[in-house]
Amino acid sequence: MHVLLLGGTTEARRLAELLAAGPSPGLRVTNSLAGRVSAPRTPPGEMRVGGFGGAEGLAAWLREHAVDLLVDATHPFADTITRNAAHAAATVPVPLLVLRRPGWRRVEGDVWHDAASLTEAAALLPALAARRVFLTTGRLGLAAFAGLTDPWFLVRSVDAPEEPCPPHAQVLLDRGPFTLDGERELLRRHRIDVLVTKDSGGAATAPKLTAAREAGLPVVVVRRPPAPRGVPVVGGPEEAARWIGAARGKRVP
């Protein structure tokens, strides 16, 4: 059985480890990375890096390489590849599973402002009287904030962000997991008054939310896009591994 695992996340890497370590003779796993991170953490199994050329290109790859099962374990905001995966899986057809870590939940003391997009998030900042913004939405999409000339931005990402960036910005290249003490110090040292983040979920980058709550700071949270309709969704690698095991059991030789 050939599984194509669309990865690049902690959950994808953990799933690849579970599949490699399990009693799974005859299971072939190909990990696919988009190639947007310069030094990705590589999981066990076969590797391919780069795009497929849209939904049609992915469908052609699934046929050419005799893929039996497609797992989308990409970032919760990788909406384009998720839509392409759903289209390609339905076209071939092959079963598709979406692995998405649960989103963050608001707790008492949080001062969250929901936004449907980065553009909407940027539009909220003047009303919040933002002067020093901690921007943790990744290296893509910063053009939404480029027109804000008054606030100063601390932009944190794994790799250098794409232009255009806000005119008053400092780039901090760093990769999680982050500690609560570290996030507290970051907010204090840079005198941050607003945090902007995507609802990526997971524990690796959650300490910034706790630090912001402790400091009483407003947080603009960009909502994640919905998963494709009619596609099974699981929240963790262990559940995904069990789903794959069940799918293997149903497969007719």
Side-chain angles (χ1 to χ4, degrees):
M1 185 177 189
H2 186 191
V3 177
L4 176 61
L5 176 53
L6 306 177
T9 60
T10 301
E11 292 75 22
R13 190 167 60 253
R14 176 57 180 157
L15 176 57
E17 292 169 352
L18 289 172
L19 296 178
S24 52
L27 179 63
R28 175 188 174 194
V29 178
T30 299
N31 300 276
S32 178
L33 303 180
R36 291 180 175 176
V37 177
S38 60
R41 297 168 177 168
T42 55
E46 300 177 31
M47 289 290 302
R48 69 166 304 280
V49 178
F52 292 93
E56 292 74 16
L58 176 55
W61 201 95
L62 296 174
R63 294 191 190 99
E64 180 182 353
H65 296 270
V67 172
D68 299 291
L69 196 155
L70 177 61
V71 179
D72 173 18
T74 56
H75 193 276
F77 281 84
D79 191 37
T80 299
I81 186 59
T82 294
R83 285 187 278 106
N84 288 346
H87 182 81
T91 299
V92 173
V94 297
L96 169 65
L97 175 69
V98 174
L99 169 57
R100 286 287 181 274
R101 69 183 80 128
W104 290 315
R105 292 189 177 184
R106 190 186 313 239
V107 302
E108 185 177 356
D110 282 329
V111 185
W112 286 10
H113 301 266
D114 292 335
S117 64
L118 291 175
T119 300
E120 187 172 310
L124 289 174
L125 294 181
L128 295 175
R131 300 185 64 183
R132 299 184 68 83
V133 181
F134 186 20
L135 189 57
T136 65
T137 56
R139 70 182 187 90
L140 304 176
L142 297 188
F145 302 88
L148 298 177
T149 58
D150 291 334
W152 176 88
F153 290 85
L154 177 64
V155 179
R156 183 167 71 188
S157 61
V158 176
D159 291 317
E162 289 189 352
E163 297 289 347
C165 288
H168 308 297
Q170 176 180 331
V171 175
L172 174 62
L173 300 183
D174 204 356
R175 185 200 298 264
F178 301 105
T179 66
L180 179 54
D181 285 343
E183 299 293 64
R184 287 169 175 156
E185 171 60 20
L186 201 65
L187 298 181
R188 185 201 63 78
R189 183 168 71 251
H190 293 283
R191 307 191 309 280
I192 300 299
D193 54 26
V194 177
L195 167 65
V196 180
T197 186
K198 292 178 177 178
D199 181 18
S200 301
T205 58
K208 63 189 173 188
L209 300 174
T210 303
R213 180 170 62 251
E214 292 176 348
L217 301 183
V219 180
V220 178
V221 181
V222 180
R223 297 190 299 272
R224 58 175 59 182
R229 290 183 179 179
V231 174
V233 180
V234 297
E238 291 76 13
E239 189 178 355
R242 290 193 295 270
W243 193 93
I244 293 170
R248 292 193 72 200
K250 294 176 183 177
R251 183 183 177 210
V252 177

